[in-house]
């Protein structure tokens, strides 16, 4: 028998990424909703509470930094918990299972989708922040390095948790509920909408500290706000080490959950 | 050469013995139909052959490998067309076929697949805009784009109008003529009769009959019913030797009005075979 050369998992994964992006952006309502929601909330809340917190820093700017974090959690966690559940519901996964596509390539495709969508989301939120609230973009490369690793860790951990959440959901619709309830509640107790975070009861923030959103938002505040703003953080510091630790831990936990709970179909026998 | 070899296959679910000792041999190039009522064990058997379900007992070899442990190379030689799916809604037919072609080491040319499946007019259309029959042809297109040696078709024409079914049969016959081994499950006995070289009837997890559709359950040798009209009205005789009877009747050289000779239909034989389960 002649040896066959199967396409590499990476090349199939890239092809899946293209298909995922096409499918995502062709559903206009879905793309529009996912994107515009955080930017819209930012524009409204930021305008309502736009006061100066200290010299040169406004509440709108703080909110912008936090919303970058909340936005990419929408485009990773919420987005995937719905889209993977939908893939199970409409037979996408069942069909893929019958092909020589490795599961790894499927995940690669989803992560490509999430990275592109999250980058677009970030640009949109930052755009609103710069235009409406005069947010200064940092010029220090070190800040952008922090931005890059917080972004990557947040997207990867929240994508994995999103895929695991999709396994819990019975249908795509319940996927939306199962992810939106913790997402929205955690935004409140993580100091995204209520800012500065020190206004929240300490117990609430302790609960929020177990989840990625608090650390992602805090990480982006460290990028876009001056260091004098650390006094409005619970610990009085940016705690970047802890941020890396919590988000890194969620990457591991998310991956384990993903692999443990992944299902190709809803059929149970 | 054997495409599928199964001995003593068994699979139990908590409340039911779904497959209770099945033996199967399917040759390369053969079109083989699995018939049986819902819950008879057809789907479980096929899922085990596809490597999508674990068996409890028995030996199974599909294209020379155990589906329970076979890898991507093996899967690249199979095509699987499942029942309903509504995926890839936002992609065009051509995009979808091209995309799936990238999974395989030796894909067919996407344009050839589009032509073979009669999707030329819909090649640029979004998948969500397809009719049921067109959608099903796309399912087959995705099943054959990898140039499979063995194609599984699960109830491929459920919900088709008669014309669409005929077109679909033509497609399957073309694939079979190219040497693809085809295993299909169906509820339609005329479909099995039109397409299959051999059929097996599964009932309560066992194969109760197996053979070419024309010979199943002793069809070819069973009593025939001879009917004709004469002065006294309609005559009907059941006989194991219809040729002899007609010879005697036509001794005078006259035409027998309304003469018919009928053997039991596949459907009658089938209902006899599975009758106990209904």
């Amino acid at each position: 028998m002649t040896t066959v050369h199967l396409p590499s998992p990476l090349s199939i994964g890239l092809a899946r990424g293209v298909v995922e992006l096409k499918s995502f952006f062709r559903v206009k309502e879905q793309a529009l909703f996912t994107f515009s929601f955080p930017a819209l909330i930012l524009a409204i809340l930021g305008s309502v509470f736009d006061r100066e917190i200290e010299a040169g820093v406004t509440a709108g700017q703080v909110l912008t930094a936090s919303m970058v974090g909340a936005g990419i959690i929408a485009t990773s966690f919420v987005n995937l918990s719905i889209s993977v559940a939908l893939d199970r519901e409409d037979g996408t996964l069942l069909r893929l299972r019958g092909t020589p596509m490795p599961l790894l390539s499927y995940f690669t495709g989803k992560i490509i989708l999430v990275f592109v969508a999250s980058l677009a989301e970030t640009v949109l939120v930052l755009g609103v922040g710069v235009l409406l609230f005069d947010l200064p973009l940092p010029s220090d490369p070190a800040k952008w390095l922090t931005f890059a690793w917080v972004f990557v860790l947040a997207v990867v951990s929240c994508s994995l948790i999103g895929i695991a959440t999709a396994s819990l959901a019975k249908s795509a619709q319940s996927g939306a509920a199962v992810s939106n309830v913790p997402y929205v509640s955690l935004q409140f107790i993580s100091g995204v909408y209520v800012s500065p975070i020190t206004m929240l009861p300490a117990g609430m923030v302790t609960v929020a500290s177990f989840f990625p959103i608090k650390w992602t938002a805090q990480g982006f505040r460290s990028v876009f706000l001056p260091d004098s703003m650390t006094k409005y953080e619970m610990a009085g510091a940016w705690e970047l080490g802890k941020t890396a630790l919590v988000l890194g831990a969620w990457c591991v936990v998310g991956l384990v959950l993903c692999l443990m709970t992944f299902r190709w179909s809803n059929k149970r026998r | 050469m054997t495409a599928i070899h199964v001995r003593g296959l068994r699979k139990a679910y908590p409340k039911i013995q779904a497959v209770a000792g099945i033996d199967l041999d399917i040759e390369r190039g053969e079109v083989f139909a699995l018939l049986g009522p819902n819950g008879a064990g057809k789907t479980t058997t096929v899922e085990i052959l596809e490597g999508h379900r674990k068996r409890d007992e028995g030996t199974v070899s599909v294209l020379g490998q155990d589906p329970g442990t076979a890898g991507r190379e093996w899967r690249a030689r199979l095509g699987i067309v499942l029942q309903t799916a509504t995926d890839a809604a936002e992609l065009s037919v051509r995009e979808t076929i091209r995309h799936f072609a990238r999974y395989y080491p030796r894909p067919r040319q996407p344009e050839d697949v589009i032509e073979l499946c009669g999707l030329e007019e819909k090649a640029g259309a979004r998948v969500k805009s397809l009719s049921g029959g067109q959608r099903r042809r796309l399912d087959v297109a995705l099943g054959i784009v990898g140039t499979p040696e063995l194609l599984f078709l699960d109830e491929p024409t459920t919900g088709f109008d008669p014309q669409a079914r005929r077109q679909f049969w033509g497609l399957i016959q073309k694939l079979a003529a190219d040497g693809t081994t085809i295993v299909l499950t169906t509820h339609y006995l005329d479909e099995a009769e039109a397409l299959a070289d051999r059929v097996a009837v599964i009932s309560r997890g066992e194969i109760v009959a197996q053979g070419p559709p024309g010979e199943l359950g002793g069809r070819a040798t069973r009593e025939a019913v001879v009917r004709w009209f004469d002065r006294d009205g309609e005559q009907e005789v059941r006989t194991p030797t219809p040729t002899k009877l007609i010879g005697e009747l036509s001794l005078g050289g006259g035409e027998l009005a309304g003469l018919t000779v009928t053997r039991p239909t596949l459907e009658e034989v089938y209902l006899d075979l599975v009758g106990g389960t209904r």
Side-chain angles (χ1 to χ4, degrees):
Chain A
M1 202 170 141
T2 52
T3 44
V4 291
H5 295 285
L6 287 165
S8 74
L10 183 65
S11 75
I12 298 180
L14 293 175
R16 286 231 43 97
V18 173
V19 161
E20 295 280 5
L21 286 168
K22 278 182 182 167
S23 297
F24 181 79
F25 285 102
R26 282 179 188 175
V27 187
K28 300 276 184 309
E29 310 81 21
Q30 181 194 344
L32 210 68
F33 179 80
T34 309
F35 281 129
S36 57
F37 196 65
L40 195 70
I41 294 281
L42 169 61
I44 295 170
L45 279 185
S47 306
V48 172
F49 300 110
D50 199 17
R51 61 193 168 81
E52 206 168 44
I53 294 178
E54 63 166 52
V57 182
T58 66
Q61 292 169 355
V62 177
L63 188 63
T64 304
S66 302
M67 282 309 281
V68 170
I72 66 175
I73 288 167
T75 46
S76 56
F77 170 67
V78 178
N79 181 10
L80 282 194
S81 66
I82 298 170
S83 85
V84 175
L86 193 65
D87 283 349
R88 216 167 47 223
E89 197 167 277
D90 71 12
T92 301
L93 280 169
L94 218 53
R95 189 195 300 286
L96 292 175
R97 192 187 183 193
T99 72
M101 181 215 74
L103 188 54
L104 190 63
S105 305
Y106 172 77
F107 290 141
T108 308
K110 287 292 181 201
I111 286 178
I112 290 172
L113 164 66
V114 165
F115 262 96
V116 173
S118 299
L119 265 179
E121 176 72 61
T122 303
V123 170
L124 187 65
V125 170
L126 285 179
V128 171
V130 170
L131 289 176
L132 292 186
F133 310 119
D134 301 318
L135 177 79
L137 294 179
S139 51
D140 181 0
K143 293 278 187 187
W144 286 107
L145 183 69
T146 306
F147 174 88
W149 71 252
V150 172
F151 183 87
V152 170
L153 279 182
V155 165
V156 171
S157 62
C158 294
S159 296
L160 291 168
I161 305 166
I163 295 170
T165 306
S167 302
L168 298 177
K170 287 198 180 65
S171 66
Q173 274 184 326
S174 75
V178 168
S179 59
N180 266 308
V181 170
Y183 171 59
V184 173
S185 351
L186 280 174
Q187 281 185 83
F188 276 100
I189 68 169
S190 299
V192 173
Y193 300 143
V194 182
S195 93
I197 194 171
T198 43
M199 284 166 67
L200 286 165
M204 264 190 196
V205 180
T206 306
V207 173
S209 300
F210 286 99
F211 299 96
I213 194 162
K214 188 236 177 205
W215 301 102
T216 307
Q218 192 170 315
F220 287 125
R221 287 197 294 270
S222 85
V223 172
F224 295 105
L225 302 179
D227 288 342
S228 60
M229 290 298 287
T230 49
K231 61 175 165 293
Y232 297 102
E233 297 295 337
M234 293 309 263
W238 293 128
E239 299 180 286
L240 287 176
K242 223 172 181 180
T243 302
L245 203 67
V246 174
L247 293 180
W250 271 107
C251 288
V252 177
V253 171
L255 183 65
V256 171
L257 285 177
C258 250
L259 295 175
M260 272 170 51
T261 59
F262 189 79
R263 287 183 287 131
W264 292 93
S265 82
N266 285 326
K267 202 167 83 173
R268 288 264 132 172
R269 283 182 69 168
Chain B
M1 246 212 317
T2 313
I4 295 178
H5 177 85
V6 175
R7 285 295 175 272
L9 180 64
R10 296 177 72 84
K11 172 75 185 180
Y13 297 123
K15 283 181 182 163
I16 184 173
Q17 183 73 40
V19 180
I22 276 182
D23 299 340
L24 265 183
D25 285 291
I26 299 174
E27 297 300 313
R28 294 263 177 148
E30 199 171 20
V31 179
F32 193 91
L34 277 172
L35 307 175
N38 289 328
K42 287 193 307 273
T43 305
T44 301
T45 304
V46 171
E47 283 175 348
I48 291 170
L49 297 179
E50 291 169 349
H52 286 166
R53 200 171 278 285
K54 287 196 169 73
R55 60 185 185 270
D56 295 340
E57 280 176 54
T59 54
V60 178
S61 162
V62 174
L63 299 178
Q65 296 195 46
D66 180 342
T69 55
R72 286 178 66 205
E73 290 81 4
W74 174 79
R75 195 157 283 295
R77 297 162 64 201
L78 298 189
I80 297 178
V81 180
L82 297 167
Q83 288 181 45
T84 52
T86 53
D87 56 329
E90 300 300 329
L91 302 177
S92 78
V93 167
R94 181 178 281 115
E95 280 173 334
T96 310
I97 295 174
R98 279 190 183 158
H99 173 67
F100 276 80
R102 302 187 63 163
Y103 296 179
Y104 295 89
R106 282 184 313 249
R108 284 189 162 93
Q109 285 301 316
E111 292 306 317
D112 295 349
V113 175
I114 289 170
E115 196 193 320
L116 188 62
C117 297
L119 287 164
E120 297 97 326
E121 282 171 31
K122 287 284 169 183
R126 295 276 172 98
V127 171
K128 64 181 174 188
S129 74
L130 300 183
S131 72
Q134 290 161 346
R135 170 90 230 189
R136 212 72 188 103
R137 274 183 272 159
L138 174 62
D139 288 339
V140 175
L142 300 180
I144 64 169
V145 74
T147 329
E149 295 164 47
L150 171 61
L151 180 66
F152 289 98
L153 291 166
D154 194 8
E155 294 179 19
T157 62
T158 301
F160 276 30
D161 63 45
Q163 196 197 356
R165 282 180 77 206
R166 292 292 162 142
Q167 282 177 0
F168 194 86
W169 291 359
L171 168 58
I172 302 305
Q173 281 156 346
K174 260 190 275 178
L175 292 171
D178 286 347
T180 313
T181 309
I182 297 173
V183 175
L184 87 145
T185 66
T186 181
H187 284 306
Y188 299 115
L189 295 151
D190 55 339
E191 183 159 291
E193 192 148 31
L195 296 177
D197 300 313
R198 283 193 306 139
V199 303
V201 178
I202 300 188
S203 179
R204 296 182 190 172
E206 292 180 33
I207 291 181
V208 292
Q210 194 170 173
E215 295 168 18
L216 199 74
R219 252 178 102 191
T221 53
R222 275 211 197 174
E223 279 195 338
V225 179
V226 180
R227 290 192 189 88
W228 72 97
F229 290 97
D230 63 15
R231 275 160 312 200
D232 303 326
E234 189 183 13
Q235 303 296 318
E236 178 181 312
V237 174
R238 290 178 174 273
T239 169
T241 54
T243 319
K244 183 159 168 270
L245 175 69
I246 293 168
E248 288 163 8
L249 289 170
S250 56
L251 273 180
E255 269 307 305
L256 293 166
L259 173 68
T260 58
V261 181
T262 42
R263 302 276 180 185
T265 63
L266 185 57
E267 184 158 297
E268 285 162 344
V269 172
Y270 169 80
L271 289 174
D272 271 357
L273 286 167
V274 302
T277 61
R278 285 293 161 110

